[in-house]
Amino acid sequence: MYVYIYDSFLNEKSYDRVLSRIETRNTDLGINGNIIRLGMIRNIADIVENEIKKGAKTIVAVGNNETFNKLVNVFVKLKEKGIHYKTPLGFIPVGNNNEIAFGFGIEREEAACNILSGRKIEILSINKANDKSFVSIARIPAKGTTIKFDDDYLIEPIQDGWVEIVNETMNYSDDGNEEIKKESSLKLYIKPEQKRLSRNKDTISEIPINQITIYNDHKNLELDFSEQIKTPVIIKQSDTQITLITGKQKIPQ
Amino acid sequence: MFNKENNDFSSKDAETIIGTSVKVKGNFQADGNIIIEGILEGTIKTKGNLFAGTKSAITADIEANGGKISGEVRGNIKVDGYLEITNTARIYGDISAQQISIEKGAIFQGNCQMSQNTANQ
């Protein structure tokens, strides 16, 4: 059974048509199921936990980067609570702010239904930013940021640009039943702002990481293009994995 | 990825790249190949090879398997294998390696030690 969780912003009338098209497509593909609309007072964690206990085959987030981030954090919290399940997370991106979906090769709206139907399962290692989880990327403006690697050394960007921590682990399973154990791979990128008229391209820094602490007195760290958290933030790999239904390759933006 | 025949240091094979927009302070350790184009103060140790680019400014003692220096190093360099010093290099410190080449135009102020194996060949 598929369970579709619609984010609260989709309650606006302007989304009625696209949701109708998505629901029709899902029916045609034979993957229609229960629809749950999030509002101001509904607890998403309780909803997901109940649906998984009732035997949901797939939980599908319908919304944007923020929707996806909410569901990932719920899935992780369930695992940390000791609730074991193999239900994968699916995603139907609607509207703007869907960089995370494109990174996983999931196209917008009805096209995402086809991907859902294809059930290409990826096992994702989750990374922690303090007590929050992120799947794909954590980033912060480079100016004013300091990165500490244990007690060994400090890195300071000396130009404007971005500091990005990217999850480079991608594990594949055709049927989603087998968990592939692989060391997760987190990498730090420091991307300087490229000046338009400058001929020379400044080199992007790349450093593999296990655990780092990020400091910035004025800017927050952004997780998966959605949630923002204040520094200092300890970023590290965790043992938790979730399964996600993805597309074949990243979609250029 | 780095050999004395073609003197080619490919970023694709580097585990770590410290770019021009970055300053590192402390004891930097790695297992793989490192490319440094930025500023580094402290110490650097790697089991792989190290390339210090033309814009690099390193104030550190360096230990690596092999090395190619094209920037500024204020500190001692100890390499197990081959150390290449190019014409833009400015080294102020001692060097130790099994094999060394120094291009015309390089600046080197310090002592040089080569391993016994090379001396006997």
Side-chain angles (χ1 to χ4, degrees), chain A residues 152-159 190 192 202-208, chain B residues 15-29 37 39:
Chain A
D152 293 332
Y153 58 93
L154 276 178
I155 291 185
E156 292 171 19
I158 53 177
Q159 280 181 33
I190 300 174
D202 289 320
T203 319
I204 294 173
S205 302
E206 294 178 32
I207 303 166
Chain B
E15 179 191 79
T16 302
I17 302 174
I18 306 284
T20 46
S21 66
V22 164
K23 184 175 182 177
V24 180
K25 281 188 205 174
N27 303 322
F28 190 90
Q29 278 201 326
E37 297 277 9
I39 301 168

Side-chain angles (χ1 to χ4, degrees), chain A residues 217-229:
Chain A
D217 290 337
H218 304 288
K219 297 287 182 185
N220 294 333
L221 183 74
E222 183 185 73
L223 304 179
D224 287 337
F225 299 104
S226 55
E227 193 164 8
Q228 301 237 346
I229 53 176

Side-chain angles (χ1 to χ4, degrees), chain B residues 2 10 19 35 37 40 69 80 83-84 91 111-112 120-121:
Chain B
F2 171 67
S10 166
I35 294 177
E37 297 277 9
L40 196 146
I69 310 293
D80 293 333
L83 177 65
E84 182 184 353
I91 299 175
N111 295 314
C112 175
N120 288 340
Q121 283 169 10

